[in-house]
Amino acid sequence: MLIGYKDDENDTHTSTHTSSIDIQPSSENVTRLVLAIGKEEMSVKSMMEAVGLKNRPNFMDYSLTPAIREGFVCMKYPANPHHPRQRYLLTIKGLMLLDGNNS
């Protein structure tokens, strides 16, 4: 039930609102990480190997943390960040970036 709704025969009931998602990452490091993860679930160690980095603090500061903050990557167990089987995977936004780079 809609209060105050007036059905007009000429009204096509289409929405002019368009939603746009910003899928431009803040850095090349985030893009490389998204491409490395792909459609898999990966541990921090696996991601570091895939992008060719060895320094974990730098990887966390410049790749993984920005990717999570920007909504490209999420944790498999977000309630428990130190879960022994913690893995990371792409969000819908991350998959959109992945598909955009693969086309």
Side-chain angles (χ1 to χ4, degrees):
M1 178 169 111
L2 297 172
I3 299 172
Y5 177 75
K6 182 177 160 185
D7 191 11
D8 185 7
E9 289 181 25
N10 296 329
D11 188 7
T12 60
H13 300 288
T14 58
S15 174
T16 58
H17 175 72
T18 57
S19 64
S20 64
I21 299 173
D22 181 24
I23 58 168
Q24 292 301 321
S26 63
S27 70
E28 182 63 30
N29 291 340
V30 173
T31 302
R32 280 198 326 245
L33 181 60
V34 167
L35 295 175
I37 294 172
K39 299 190 181 201
E40 300 178 35
E41 294 178 356
M42 298 181 86
S43 66
V44 171
K45 184 176 179 180
S46 298
M47 289 184 291
M48 287 174 57
E49 289 173 1
V51 296
L53 296 175
K54 295 181 181 181
N55 187 306
R56 186 181 176 109
N58 281 347
F59 172 74
M60 297 298 284
D61 290 343
Y62 298 110
S63 297
L64 186 57
T65 301
I68 292 171
R69 187 179 341 105
E70 294 170 26
F72 293 105
V73 177
C74 65
M75 292 183 217
K76 186 173 183 178
Y77 304 103
N80 188 358
H82 300 290
H83 192 283
R85 290 184 302 273
Q86 184 66 272
R87 298 287 182 267
Y88 297 84
L89 57 149
L90 297 183
T91 62
I92 293 174
K93 186 176 174 181
L95 290 171
M96 289 171 58
L97 178 62
L98 179 68
D99 290 340
N101 279 317
N102 288 337
S103 55

